[in-house]
Amino acid sequence: MRRSVPQPGDHVMNIYETYADTLFRIAMVHLGRREDAEEATQDTFIKLMEKAPAFNDAEHQKAWLIRVITNHCKSLLGRGWRKREVNLEGAEFLTTDDPEDRVLIELVLSLPVKYKAVVHLYYYEDYPVRKISEILQISESAVKMRLQRGRHLLKLELEGEEPNERGTIQTKL
């Protein structure tokens, strides 16, 4: 009987098999293109191999990976050569039989990046506000505010109303 001997890259492969789908979905939400999301996912795992950080537990590891891919997506979106739009090309990971769910997914993808990130992590990845604040390195109140504004933008779109010309929400004092 032959025993399986652990290979040097087995640890990273196990992490990849565990988190690749989640990271890909997060990248798709941010970037909107399959090719860009695949590249961001690969770059995240390359960074994991280069940095080889020590993690306290699996949750710490997952949070680190999400922070890395989120920051990488932000830097890709900040580059001047890339259009700042989200299309649904290659977004079959979002397939659903319910047309209402499909409309909602498209609306979430059309949100500005800062709202889209917190809405996705909160509603689709089931992270609590505290964990989102740690992952995105913003305050809990900023997460709550972005969730509130993201919900408001979604509500306006669902009701057929338009946000102001800058795509933001103006509050009346």
Side-chain angles (χ1 to χ4, degrees):
M1 189 178 260
R2 186 178 171 158
R3 296 179 105 185
S4 175
V5 178
Q7 299 296 315
D10 284 350
H11 178 65
V12 174
M13 283 306 297
N14 290 338
I15 296 169
Y16 179 85
E17 289 170 1
T18 304
Y19 300 116
D21 289 339
T22 300
L23 297 176
F24 175 78
R25 284 192 309 270
I26 290 169
M28 276 298 292
V29 166
H30 283 284
L31 303 172
R33 290 189 53 223
R34 173 176 277 291
E35 296 82 10
D36 292 343
E38 288 171 349
E39 179 183 345
T41 303
Q42 290 171 358
D43 289 347
T44 299
F45 284 100
I46 289 170
K47 187 168 245 179
L48 173 68
M49 289 185 289
E50 290 174 348
K51 301 285 183 185
F55 299 109
N56 299 334
D57 55 22
E59 198 57 37
H60 179 222
Q61 181 179 56
K62 184 177 181 181
W64 185 88
L65 290 166
I66 291 172
R67 185 178 318 122
V68 169
I69 201 160
T70 302
N71 289 340
H72 186 68
C73 290
K74 285 179 185 177
S75 71
L76 287 175
L77 289 170
R79 293 182 181 164
W81 57 268
R82 190 177 196 291
K83 291 181 182 178
R84 292 173 186 252
E85 65 183 39
V86 173
N87 62 35
L88 296 177
E89 172 193 324
E92 53 275 352
F93 76 97
L94 298 171
T95 56
T96 178
D97 293 332
D98 187 352
E100 289 179 7
D101 286 346
R102 182 69 179 170
V103 168
L104 185 58
I105 290 168
E106 290 178 13
L107 289 174
V108 169
L109 289 172
S110 70
L111 287 173
V113 173
K114 66 182 183 178
Y115 303 133
K116 178 176 15 183
V118 295
V119 168
H120 176 77
L121 289 172
Y122 188 80
Y123 289 105
Y124 294 96
E125 300 297 330
D126 295 324
Y127 275 101
V129 170
R130 172 175 278 150
K131 200 67 168 167
I132 295 170
S133 107
E134 292 171 13
I135 290 170
L136 298 179
Q137 297 178 330
I138 58 177
S139 69
E140 287 183 38
S141 63
V143 171
K144 291 175 185 175
M145 184 56 71
R146 290 178 186 186
L147 276 171
Q148 178 185 9
R149 289 179 179 167
R151 286 185 205 115
H152 184 71
L153 286 172
L154 289 171
K155 181 180 177 192
L156 289 176
E157 286 295 324
L158 287 169
E159 293 175 352
E161 298 176 26
E162 293 290 322
N164 66 22
E165 62 278 352
R166 294 186 339 207
T168 59
I169 302 157
Q170 293 179 338
T171 57
K172 296 179 183 176
L173 298 177

